[in-house]
Coordinates of all heavy atoms in Angstrom, one line a residue:
N153 N -124.0 23.6 -94.1 CA -124.0 25.0 -93.9 C -123.9 25.4 -92.4 O -123.2 26.4 -92.1 CB -125.3 25.5 -94.4 CG -125.4 25.5 -95.9 OD1 -124.4 25.4 -96.6 ND2 -126.6 25.4 -96.4
K154 N -124.5 24.6 -91.6 CA -124.5 24.8 -90.1 C -123.1 24.7 -89.7 O -122.6 25.6 -88.9 CB -125.4 24.0 -89.3 CG -125.5 24.4 -87.9 CD -126.2 25.7 -87.7 CE -126.2 26.0 -86.2 NZ -126.8 27.3 -85.9
Y155 N -122.4 23.7 -90.0 CA -121.0 23.3 -89.7 C -120.1 24.6 -90.1 O -119.3 25.1 -89.3 CB -120.5 22.2 -90.4 CG -119.0 22.0 -90.3 CD1 -118.5 21.6 -89.1 CD2 -118.2 22.4 -91.3 CE1 -117.0 21.6 -88.9 CE2 -116.8 22.2 -91.3 CZ -116.2 21.8 -90.1 OH -114.9 21.8 -90.0
L156 N -120.3 25.1 -91.4 CA -119.5 26.2 -91.8 C -119.7 27.5 -91.0 O -118.8 28.3 -90.7 CB -119.7 26.6 -93.3 CG -119.3 25.4 -94.2 CD1 -119.7 25.6 -95.6 CD2 -117.8 25.0 -94.0
E157 N -121.0 27.8 -90.5 CA -121.3 28.9 -89.7 C -120.6 28.8 -88.5 O -120.0 29.8 -87.8 CB -122.7 29.1 -89.5 CG -123.6 29.4 -90.8 CD -125.1 29.3 -90.6 OE1 -125.5 29.4 -89.4 OE2 -125.8 29.3 -91.4
L158 N -120.7 27.7 -87.8 CA -120.1 27.4 -86.5 C -118.6 27.4 -86.5 O -117.9 27.9 -85.7 CB -120.5 26.1 -86.0 CG -121.9 26.0 -85.4 CD1 -122.3 24.6 -85.0 CD2 -122.1 26.9 -84.2
K159 N -118.0 27.0 -87.7 CA -116.5 26.9 -87.8 C -116.0 28.3 -87.8 O -114.9 28.5 -87.2 CB -116.1 26.1 -89.1 CG -114.7 26.0 -89.3 CD -114.4 25.2 -90.6 CE -112.8 25.2 -90.8 NZ -112.6 24.6 -92.1
K160 N -116.6 29.3 -88.5 CA -116.2 30.7 -88.5 C -116.2 31.3 -87.0 O -115.3 32.0 -86.7 CB -117.2 31.5 -89.3 CG -117.1 31.2 -90.8 CD -118.0 32.1 -91.5 CE -118.1 31.7 -93.1 NZ -119.2 32.5 -93.7
R161 N -117.0 31.0 -86.2 CA -117.3 31.6 -85.0 C -116.6 30.8 -84.0 O -115.9 31.4 -83.0 CB -118.7 31.6 -84.6 CG -119.6 32.7 -85.3 CD -121.0 32.8 -84.8 NE -121.7 31.4 -85.0 CZ -122.6 30.9 -84.1 NH1 -122.8 31.5 -83.1 NH2 -123.2 29.8 -84.4
R162 N -116.6 29.5 -84.0 CA -115.9 28.7 -82.9 C -114.8 27.9 -83.1 O -114.1 27.4 -82.2 CB -117.1 27.7 -82.3 CG -118.3 28.4 -81.8 CD -118.2 29.0 -80.6 NE -119.4 29.5 -80.0 CZ -119.6 30.3 -79.1 NH1 -118.5 30.8 -78.5 NH2 -120.7 30.7 -78.7
G163 N -114.5 27.7 -84.4 CA -113.3 26.8 -84.7 C -113.8 25.4 -85.2 O -115.0 25.0 -84.8
G164 N -113.1 24.8 -86.0 CA -113.3 23.5 -86.5 C -113.8 22.4 -85.7 O -114.8 21.6 -85.8
K165 N -113.0 22.2 -84.5 CA -113.1 21.0 -83.7 C -114.5 21.3 -82.9 O -115.3 20.3 -82.7 CB -112.1 20.9 -82.6 CG -110.8 20.4 -83.3 CD -109.6 20.3 -82.3 CE -108.4 19.8 -83.1 NZ -107.2 19.7 -82.1
K166 N -114.7 22.5 -82.4 CA -116.0 22.7 -81.6 C -117.2 22.6 -82.6 O -118.3 22.1 -82.1 CB -115.9 24.1 -81.0 CG -115.0 24.1 -79.8 CD -115.1 25.4 -79.2 CE -114.0 25.5 -77.9 NZ -114.2 26.7 -77.2
A167 N -117.1 23.0 -83.8 CA -118.2 22.9 -84.8 C -118.5 21.4 -85.0 O -119.6 21.1 -85.1 CB -117.7 23.5 -86.1
V168 N -117.5 20.5 -85.2 CA -117.6 19.1 -85.4 C -118.5 18.6 -84.1 O -119.4 17.8 -84.3 CB -116.3 18.4 -85.6 CG1 -116.6 16.9 -85.4 CG2 -115.8 18.7 -86.9
I169 N -118.0 18.9 -83.0 CA -118.7 18.4 -81.7 C -120.2 19.0 -81.7 O -121.1 18.1 -81.3 CB -118.0 18.8 -80.4 CG1 -116.5 18.2 -80.5 CG2 -118.8 18.5 -79.2 CD1 -116.5 16.7 -80.5
A170 N -120.4 20.1 -82.0 CA -121.7 20.7 -82.0 C -122.6 20.0 -83.0 O -123.8 19.7 -82.7 CB -121.7 22.3 -82.3
I171 N -122.1 19.7 -84.2 CA -122.9 19.0 -85.2 C -123.3 17.6 -84.8 O -124.3 17.1 -84.9 CB -122.4 19.1 -86.6 CG1 -122.2 20.5 -87.0 CG2 -123.0 18.4 -87.6 CD1 -123.5 21.3 -87.2
A172 N -122.2 16.9 -84.1 CA -122.5 15.5 -83.7 C -123.4 15.6 -82.6 O -124.3 14.7 -82.7 CB -121.1 15.0 -83.2
R173 N -123.4 16.5 -81.8 CA -124.4 16.5 -80.7 C -125.7 16.7 -81.3 O -126.7 16.1 -80.7 CB -123.9 17.6 -79.6 CG -125.0 17.6 -78.4 CD -124.4 18.7 -77.3 NE -125.2 18.5 -76.2 CZ -126.3 19.3 -75.9 NH1 -126.5 20.2 -76.8 NH2 -127.0 19.1 -74.8
K174 N -125.9 17.6 -82.1 CA -127.2 17.9 -82.7 C -127.7 16.6 -83.4 O -129.1 16.3 -83.2 CB -127.0 19.0 -83.8 CG -128.3 19.5 -84.4 CD -128.0 20.6 -85.4 CE -128.7 21.7 -84.8 NZ -128.9 22.9 -85.6
L175 N -126.9 15.9 -84.2 CA -127.4 14.6 -84.7 C -127.8 13.7 -83.8 O -128.8 13.0 -83.9 CB -126.2 14.1 -85.6 CG -126.0 14.9 -87.0 CD1 -124.8 14.4 -87.7 CD2 -127.2 14.8 -87.8
L176 N -127.0 13.5 -82.6 CA -127.3 12.5 -81.7 C -128.6 12.8 -80.9 O -129.3 11.8 -80.6 CB -126.1 12.2 -80.7 CG -124.9 11.4 -81.3 CD1 -123.7 11.6 -80.3 CD2 -125.3 10.1 -81.6
T177 N -128.8 14.0 -80.7 CA -129.9 14.6 -80.2 C -131.1 14.2 -81.0 O -132.2 13.6 -80.4 CB -130.0 16.0 -79.8 OG1 -128.9 16.4 -79.0 CG2 -131.3 16.4 -79.1
A178 N -131.1 14.4 -82.2 CA -132.2 14.1 -83.3 C -132.5 12.6 -83.1 O -133.7 12.2 -83.3 CB -131.8 14.5 -84.5
I179 N -131.4 12.0 -83.3 CA -131.5 10.4 -83.3 C -132.1 9.8 -82.0 O -133.0 9.0 -82.1 CB -130.1 9.8 -83.7 CG1 -129.6 10.1 -85.1 CG2 -130.2 8.2 -83.4 CD1 -128.2 9.7 -85.2
W180 N -131.7 10.4 -80.9 CA -132.2 10.0 -79.6 C -133.8 10.2 -79.6 O -134.6 9.4 -79.2 CB -131.6 10.7 -78.5 CG -132.0 10.1 -77.2 CD1 -131.6 9.0 -76.5 CD2 -133.0 10.7 -76.3 NE1 -132.4 8.8 -75.4 CE2 -133.3 10.0 -75.3 CE3 -133.9 11.7 -76.5 CZ2 -134.1 10.1 -74.2 CZ3 -134.8 12.1 -75.5 CH2 -134.9 11.3 -74.4
H181 N -134.2 11.4 -79.9 CA -135.6 11.7 -80.0 C -136.5 10.9 -80.9 O -137.5 10.3 -80.6 CB -135.8 13.2 -80.2 CG -135.5 14.1 -79.2 ND1 -136.4 14.2 -78.1 CD2 -134.5 14.9 -78.9 CE1 -135.9 15.0 -77.2 NE2 -134.8 15.5 -77.7
I182 N -135.9 10.6 -82.1 CA -136.5 9.7 -83.1 C -136.7 8.4 -82.5 O -137.8 7.8 -82.6 CB -135.7 9.8 -84.4 CG1 -135.9 11.0 -85.1 CG2 -136.3 8.6 -85.4 CD1 -134.8 11.2 -86.2
L183 N -135.7 7.8 -81.9 CA -135.8 6.4 -81.4 C -136.5 6.4 -80.2 O -137.3 5.2 -80.1 CB -134.3 5.8 -81.2 CG -133.5 5.7 -82.5 CD1 -132.1 5.2 -82.1 CD2 -134.2 4.7 -83.4
S184 N -136.5 7.3 -79.3 CA -137.1 7.1 -78.1 C -138.6 7.2 -78.1 O -139.4 6.8 -77.5 CB -136.5 8.1 -77.0 OG -136.7 9.4 -77.3
K185 N -139.0 8.3 -79.1 CA -140.4 8.6 -79.2 C -141.1 7.9 -80.4 O -142.2 8.0 -80.7 CB -140.7 10.0 -79.5 CG -140.2 10.8 -78.2 CD -140.4 12.3 -78.4 CE -139.9 13.1 -77.2 NZ -140.0 14.6 -77.4
N186 N -140.2 7.1 -81.2 CA -140.8 6.3 -82.4 C -141.4 7.2 -83.3 O -142.4 6.8 -83.8 CB -141.7 5.2 -81.9 CG -141.7 4.2 -82.9 OD1 -140.9 4.0 -83.8 ND2 -142.7 3.3 -82.8
E187 N -140.8 8.3 -83.6 CA -141.2 9.3 -84.6 C -140.5 9.2 -85.9 O -139.4 8.7 -85.9 CB -141.0 10.7 -84.0 CG -141.9 11.0 -82.8 CD -141.5 12.3 -82.3 OE1 -140.4 12.9 -82.6 OE2 -142.3 12.9 -81.4
V188 N -141.0 9.8 -86.9 CA -140.5 10.0 -88.2 C -139.6 11.2 -88.1 O -140.0 12.2 -87.5 CB -141.6 10.1 -89.3 CG1 -140.9 10.3 -90.6 CG2 -142.4 8.8 -89.3
Y189 N -138.5 11.3 -88.8 CA -137.6 12.6 -88.8 C -138.3 13.6 -89.6 O -138.8 13.5 -90.6 CB -136.3 12.1 -89.4 CG -135.4 13.3 -89.7 CD1 -134.8 13.9 -88.6 CD2 -135.3 14.0 -90.8 CE1 -134.0 15.0 -88.5 CE2 -134.4 15.1 -91.1 CZ -133.9 15.6 -89.9 OH -133.0 16.7 -90.0
S190 N -138.3 14.8 -89.0 CA -138.8 16.1 -89.5 C -137.8 17.2 -89.5 O -137.5 17.6 -88.5 CB -140.1 16.5 -88.9 OG -140.5 17.7 -89.4
A191 N -137.2 17.5 -90.7 CA -136.2 18.4 -90.6 C -136.7 19.8 -90.3 O -135.8 20.6 -89.8 CB -135.6 18.5 -92.1
K192 N -138.0 20.0 -90.5 CA -138.4 21.4 -90.2 C -138.3 21.7 -88.6 O -138.1 22.8 -88.3 CB -140.0 21.5 -90.5 CG -140.2 21.5 -92.0 CD -141.9 21.5 -92.1 CE -142.3 21.3 -93.5 NZ -143.7 21.3 -93.7
L193 N -138.4 20.8 -87.8 CA -138.3 21.0 -86.4 C -136.9 21.3 -86.1 O -136.7 22.3 -85.1 CB -138.7 19.7 -85.6 CG -140.1 19.1 -85.7 CD1 -140.3 17.8 -85.0 CD2 -141.1 20.2 -85.2
Y194 N -136.0 20.8 -86.6 CA -134.6 21.1 -86.3 C -134.1 22.5 -86.9 O -133.3 23.0 -86.4 CB -133.7 20.0 -86.7 CG -134.0 18.6 -85.9 CD1 -134.8 17.8 -86.4 CD2 -133.6 18.7 -84.5 CE1 -135.1 16.7 -85.6 CE2 -134.0 17.7 -83.7 CZ -134.7 16.7 -84.2 OH -135.2 15.5 -83.5
R195 N -134.6 22.7 -88.0 CA -134.2 24.1 -88.7 C -134.8 25.3 -87.9 O -134.2 26.3 -87.8 CB -134.8 24.1 -90.1 CG -133.7 23.4 -91.1 CD -134.1 23.8 -92.5 NE -134.1 22.5 -93.2 CZ -135.1 22.0 -93.8 NH1 -136.3 22.6 -93.9 NH2 -135.0 20.8 -94.5
K196 N -136.1 25.0 -87.3 CA -136.7 26.1 -86.7 C -135.9 26.5 -85.4 O -135.9 27.7 -85.0 CB -138.1 25.5 -86.3 CG -138.9 26.5 -85.4 CD -140.3 25.8 -85.0 CE -141.0 26.8 -84.1 NZ -142.1 26.1 -83.6
A197 N -135.2 25.5 -84.7 CA -134.3 25.7 -83.5 C -133.1 26.6 -83.9 O -132.6 27.2 -83.0 CB -134.0 24.5 -82.9
D198 N -132.7 26.5 -85.1 CA -131.3 27.2 -85.6 C -131.6 28.7 -85.6 O -130.6 29.4 -85.5 CB -131.0 26.8 -86.9 CG -130.4 25.3 -86.8 OD1 -130.1 24.8 -85.8 OD2 -130.4 24.7 -87.9
K199 N -132.8 29.3 -85.8 CA -133.0 30.7 -86.1 C -133.2 31.4 -84.7 O -134.1 30.9 -83.9 CB -134.2 30.9 -86.8 CG -134.2 30.3 -88.3 CD -135.4 30.5 -89.0 CE -135.2 29.7 -90.4 NZ -136.5 29.9 -91.1
P200 N -132.5 32.5 -84.3 CA -132.7 33.2 -83.2 C -134.0 33.9 -83.2 O -134.7 34.1 -84.3 CB -131.5 34.2 -83.2 CG -131.2 34.3 -84.6 CD -131.4 33.0 -85.3
P201 N -134.5 34.2 -82.0 CA -135.8 35.0 -82.0 C -135.8 36.3 -82.8 O -134.8 37.0 -82.8 CB -136.1 35.1 -80.6 CG -135.0 34.8 -79.8 CD -133.9 33.9 -80.8
A202 N -136.8 36.6 -83.5 CA -136.9 37.9 -84.2 C -136.6 39.2 -83.4 O -136.0 40.0 -83.8 CB -138.2 37.9 -85.0
A203 N -137.4 39.2 -82.3 CA -137.2 40.4 -81.4 C -136.8 39.9 -80.1 O -137.5 39.2 -79.3 CB -138.6 41.1 -81.3
R204 N -135.7 40.5 -79.7 CA -135.1 40.2 -78.3 C -135.3 41.4 -77.6 O -134.8 42.6 -77.7 CB -133.7 39.9 -78.4 CG -133.4 38.5 -79.2 CD -132.0 38.2 -79.1 NE -131.7 37.1 -80.0 CZ -130.5 36.4 -80.0 NH1 -129.6 37.0 -79.3 NH2 -130.3 35.6 -80.8
E205 N -136.1 41.3 -76.5 CA -136.4 42.5 -75.6 C -136.1 42.0 -74.0 O -136.6 40.8 -73.8 CB -137.9 43.0 -75.8 CG -138.0 43.6 -77.1 CD -139.4 44.3 -77.3 OE1 -140.1 44.4 -76.3 OE2 -139.8 44.6 -78.3
L206 N -135.7 42.8 -73.4 CA -135.5 42.5 -71.9 C -136.1 43.6 -71.2 O -136.1 44.8 -71.5 CB -134.0 42.4 -71.6 CG -133.0 41.5 -72.2 CD1 -131.6 41.7 -71.9 CD2 -133.5 40.0 -71.9
T207 N -136.6 43.2 -69.9 CA -137.0 44.2 -69.1 C -135.8 44.8 -68.3 O -134.7 44.3 -68.5 CB -138.0 43.7 -67.9 OG1 -137.2 42.7 -67.2 CG2 -139.2 42.9 -68.6
M208 N -136.0 46.0 -67.6 CA -134.9 46.7 -67.0 C -134.2 45.6 -65.9 O -133.1 45.6 -65.9 CB -135.5 48.0 -66.2 CG -134.3 48.7 -65.6 SD -133.0 49.4 -66.8 CE -134.0 50.7 -67.5
T209 N -135.2 44.9 -65.2 CA -134.6 44.0 -64.2 C -133.9 42.9 -64.9 O -132.7 42.5 -64.4 CB -135.8 43.4 -63.4 OG1 -136.6 44.6 -63.0 CG2 -135.3 42.5 -62.3
Q210 N -134.3 42.3 -66.1 CA -133.6 41.3 -66.7 C -132.3 41.8 -67.2 O -131.3 41.1 -67.1 CB -134.4 40.7 -67.8 CG -135.6 39.9 -67.4 CD -136.5 39.6 -68.6 OE1 -136.7 40.4 -69.5 NE2 -137.2 38.4 -68.5
A211 N -132.2 42.9 -67.8 CA -131.1 43.7 -68.2 C -130.0 43.9 -67.1 O -128.8 43.5 -67.3 CB -131.3 44.9 -68.9
I212 N -130.3 44.3 -65.9 CA -129.5 44.6 -64.9 C -129.0 43.2 -64.3 O -127.8 43.1 -64.0 CB -130.2 45.3 -63.7 CG1 -130.5 46.7 -64.2 CG2 -129.5 45.3 -62.5 CD1 -131.4 47.5 -63.2
T213 N -129.9 42.2 -64.2 CA -129.4 40.8 -63.7 C -128.4 40.2 -64.7 O -127.3 39.8 -64.4 CB -130.6 39.9 -63.6 OG1 -131.6 40.6 -62.7 CG2 -130.3 38.6 -63.2
F214 N -128.6 40.5 -66.0 CA -127.8 39.9 -67.0 C -126.4 40.6 -66.9 O -125.4 39.9 -66.9 CB -128.3 40.2 -68.4 CG -127.4 39.7 -69.5 CD1 -127.2 38.4 -70.0 CD2 -126.7 40.7 -70.2 CE1 -126.3 38.1 -70.9 CE2 -125.9 40.3 -71.3 CZ -125.6 39.0 -71.5
L215 N -126.3 41.8 -66.8 CA -125.1 42.5 -66.8 C -124.3 42.2 -65.5 O -123.1 42.2 -65.5 CB -125.3 44.1 -66.9 CG -125.8 44.6 -68.2 CD1 -126.2 46.1 -68.2 CD2 -124.7 44.4 -69.2
R216 N -125.0 42.2 -64.4 CA -124.5 41.7 -63.1 C -123.7 40.4 -63.2 O -122.6 40.2 -62.7 CB -125.4 41.7 -61.9 CG -125.7 43.1 -61.3 CD -126.5 42.8 -60.1 NE -127.1 44.1 -59.7 CZ -128.2 44.4 -59.0 NH1 -129.0 43.3 -58.7 NH2 -128.5 45.5 -58.6
S217 N -124.4 39.4 -63.9 CA -123.9 38.0 -64.1 C -122.6 38.1 -64.9 O -121.8 37.2 -64.8 CB -124.9 37.2 -64.6 OG -125.1 37.5 -66.1
K218 N -122.4 39.2 -65.7 CA -121.2 39.4 -66.7 C -120.1 40.1 -65.8 O -119.1 40.3 -66.4 CB -121.6 40.0 -68.0 CG -122.6 39.2 -68.6 CD -122.1 37.8 -69.2 CE -123.1 37.1 -70.0 NZ -122.7 35.7 -70.2
G219 N -120.4 40.6 -64.7 CA -119.4 41.2 -64.0 C -119.4 42.7 -64.0 O -118.5 43.4 -63.5
F220 N -120.5 43.3 -64.4 CA -120.5 44.8 -64.5 C -121.3 45.4 -63.3 O -122.0 44.7 -62.7 CB -121.6 45.2 -65.8 CG -120.9 44.9 -67.0 CD1 -121.1 43.8 -67.8 CD2 -120.2 46.0 -67.6 CE1 -120.5 43.6 -68.9 CE2 -119.4 45.8 -68.8 CZ -119.7 44.6 -69.5
L221 N -120.8 46.7 -62.9 CA -121.4 47.3 -61.8 C -122.3 48.3 -62.3 O -122.0 49.0 -63.4 CB -120.4 48.1 -61.0 CG -119.4 47.3 -60.1 CD1 -118.5 48.1 -59.4 CD2 -120.3 46.5 -59.1
I222 N -123.5 48.3 -62.0 CA -124.6 49.3 -62.5 C -124.8 50.5 -61.6 O -125.1 50.3 -60.4 CB -126.0 48.4 -62.7 CG1 -125.8 47.1 -63.4 CG2 -127.0 49.4 -63.5 CD1 -125.3 47.1 -64.8
L223 N -124.6 51.7 -62.0 CA -124.7 52.9 -61.4 C -125.8 53.6 -61.8 O -126.1 53.8 -63.0 CB -123.5 53.7 -61.5 CG -122.2 53.0 -61.0 CD1 -120.9 54.1 -61.3 CD2 -122.2 52.9 -59.5
D224 N -126.7 54.2 -60.8 CA -127.8 55.1 -61.1 C -127.2 56.4 -61.4 O -126.5 57.1 -60.6 CB -128.8 55.1 -60.0 CG -129.9 56.0 -60.4 OD1 -130.0 56.6 -61.5 OD2 -130.9 56.0 -59.4
E225 N -127.4 56.9 -62.6 CA -126.8 58.3 -63.1 C -127.2 59.4 -62.1 O -126.4 60.3 -61.9 CB -127.1 58.6 -64.5 CG -126.4 57.7 -65.5 CD -126.7 58.1 -67.0 OE1 -127.6 58.9 -67.1 OE2 -126.1 57.5 -67.8
E226 N -128.5 59.6 -61.7 CA -128.9 60.6 -60.9 C -128.4 60.5 -59.4 O -128.0 61.5 -58.9 CB -130.4 60.6 -60.9 CG -131.0 60.9 -62.2 CD -132.6 60.6 -62.2 OE1 -133.1 60.5 -61.2 OE2 -133.1 60.8 -63.4
S227 N -128.5 59.3 -58.8 CA -128.2 59.2 -57.3 C -126.7 58.9 -57.2 O -126.0 59.1 -56.1 CB -129.1 58.3 -56.7 OG -128.9 57.0 -57.1
G228 N -126.1 58.2 -58.2 CA -124.9 57.6 -58.1 C -124.7 56.3 -57.3 O -123.7 55.9 -56.9
E229 N -125.9 55.7 -57.0 CA -125.9 54.6 -56.2 C -125.7 53.4 -57.1 O -126.0 53.3 -58.3 CB -127.2 54.4 -55.5 CG -127.5 55.4 -54.4 CD -128.9 55.3 -53.8 OE1 -129.6 54.1 -54.1 OE2 -129.3 56.2 -53.2
V230 N -125.1 52.2 -56.5 CA -125.0 51.0 -57.2 C -126.3 50.3 -57.1 O -127.0 50.1 -56.0 CB -123.9 50.2 -56.6 CG1 -123.8 48.8 -57.3 CG2 -122.5 50.8 -56.6
L231 N -126.9 49.9 -58.3 CA -128.1 49.1 -58.3 C -127.9 47.7 -58.1 O -126.9 47.1 -58.4 CB -128.8 49.4 -59.7 CG -129.3 50.8 -59.9 CD1 -129.8 50.9 -61.4 CD2 -130.2 51.4 -58.9

């Protein structure tokens, strides 16, 4: 299911690489920590957070990193 979701958004080749990386990461953690595999841990990481909130400063920093100029409507100054 995860492969099909990724394939729609990223394409088949990138989806294969993403799934392979996910499997190798799980295998590495299992072998290095001598743990038993738990599918719950890996399914939990697939879900995005329920509520995504940013502070004004975080939002401005994010938009700047994407190349946007932020203007104050009242003063016309670049933030």
